[in-house]
Amino acid sequence: MKKIILIAAILLGALTKGQAQVLTKRIGQAVKEGYQDVKEAIVQDAKPSGEHTIWDIYAAPKVGLNLSNLPGIDGKVKLGLIAGGYFEVFVAKNIAVDAEIKYSRQGSSGVYRNFTTTDATGNIVIQEHGPYDFKLDYFNMSYLVRWYPWADLPWSFTTGLNTEYIISAHAKLKHGADMNLKKGIYRGDVAIPLGISYEWKQWQLEARYNVFFRKLARSNEAKELMRNARNNMLEVTLGYRIQVL
C-alpha cells in the first residue's frame, strides 16, 4: 500500500511539474505578445504633415515648464511644472478639436507689500512686508481648436478656452508665516490660450500663452495682500502623439 501511495505521489508530482512548465511557458508567451502589441500601438511610423484624414483621433501625454507671474503686484517671474494630456479629433483635413486636462504650478516670488497702520500716537505708519512667495496649484481643463495652415508642414496654431480650478494656494513670507489663500481667492479662473506647435515624428513641441482677465482675491484679507493680482502664464510643453483611430 505504501509503495502504491509513493508511486502515485511521484507521478502526481511529475504531472504537476509538467503542467507548471507548460503554464509558465504560455504565460511568458502571452506577456511577450502583449508587450509587442502595446509597443506597436505606442511606437508608430509617423510622418506628420498639415493635412489629415477626417475623424482621425490622437491621444498625447505632455509635460513641460511654465513661466508665470501675478500682474497687479510687483513680483518676479516664477518657474513651474506643467503636465497632463489631451485627446484630439480631426473635424476637417486641417482642423482638429482638443479636450485637454493638466496640472500647473503658478505664482510669483519676491513680492513686497506696503501696509498702512497707525502708531501709539496716532501717526500713520507705512510698513513694508516681504518678500512673499506665492504658490498656486491648479487643475486645468482646456477646450481647443487646432489649425494646420500648411498642408506640407506640421505647424499648427491653437486657441480656445482654458478653465482652471484651484487645488492649493499659499503665500509664504520669507522667514515668516505661510498664509493659506485657498479660501480667500476665487476657486476658478478662465483664460484664452494662444499657442503654436511643431511636430516631428510623434513628438510635438508647443508654446502657449494664456491670457487671464479675472482678479484673484475674493476675501478682504486676500485683497489686502494681493490687491489686483491676476494670473499670467507662458507654457512650453513636449507631447508624444499616438494615433488611436
Side-chain angles (χ1 to χ4, degrees), residues 10 34 85 144 160 165 238:
I10 293 172
L144 307 170
Y165 301 92
L238 182 64

Side-chain angles (χ1 to χ4, degrees), residues 12 42 55 59 92 113 115 129 140 150 187 199 212-213:
L12 180 61
I42 294 176
W55 305 124
R113 298 305 304 158
F115 296 93
H129 289 262
N140 299 257
W150 303 291
R187 183 185 174 199
E199 297 169 27
F212 293 89
F213 303 97

Side-chain angles (χ1 to χ4, degrees), residues 64-210:
L65 299 172
N66 66 57
L67 296 173
S68 65
N69 65 353
L70 300 172
I73 54 178
D74 187 16
K76 298 178 182 178
V77 172
K78 191 177 188 69
L79 182 66
L81 174 68
I82 190 164
Y86 67 83
F87 279 96
E88 181 174 272
V89 180
F90 278 86
V91 295
K93 289 184 177 181
N94 63 341
I95 296 177
V97 292
D98 294 18
E100 180 179 277
I101 59 173
K102 61 180 183 285
Y103 158 83
S104 64
R105 161 64 65 87
Q106 300 163 218
S108 185
S109 61
V111 178
Y112 287 87
R113 298 305 304 158
N114 293 328
F115 296 93
T116 302
T117 60
T118 56
D119 60 17
T121 61
N123 294 321
I124 296 176
V125 178
I126 298 177
Q127 297 180 340
E128 184 181 68
H129 289 262
Y132 287 91
D133 183 19
F134 287 84
K135 296 179 180 179
L136 309 177
D137 295 310
Y138 281 100
F139 172 75
N140 299 257
M141 298 182 66
S142 301
Y143 311 93
L144 307 170
V145 176
R146 189 181 301 277
W147 173 49
Y148 292 80
W150 303 291
D152 56 341
L153 295 175
W155 287 92
S156 64
F157 298 88
T158 307
T159 190
L161 184 68
N162 180 66
T163 59
E164 294 193 332
Y165 301 92
I166 194 70
I167 300 172
S168 68
H170 291 267
K172 178 70 169 61
L173 179 63
K174 187 175 182 180
H175 308 306
D178 186 343
M179 182 184 298
N180 190 341
L181 297 172
K182 185 175 180 179
K183 294 183 178 179
I185 66 175
Y186 287 102
R187 183 185 174 199
D189 203 355
V190 178
I192 296 176
L194 302 170
I196 180 173
S197 67
Y198 179 78
E199 297 169 27
W200 178 74
K201 293 187 177 181
Q202 287 181 256
W203 298 100
Q204 181 186 58
L205 182 65
E206 182 169 22
R208 190 185 300 174
Y209 178 67
N210 294 276

Side-chain angles (χ1 to χ4, degrees), residues 19-39:
Q19 289 178 333
Q21 290 176 342
V22 172
L23 182 60
T24 301
K25 184 177 180 180
R26 289 181 178 177
I27 291 175
Q29 183 65 25
V31 170
K32 184 178 179 180
E33 292 176 356
Y35 168 77
Q36 189 63 33
D37 291 342
V38 172
K39 182 179 178 181

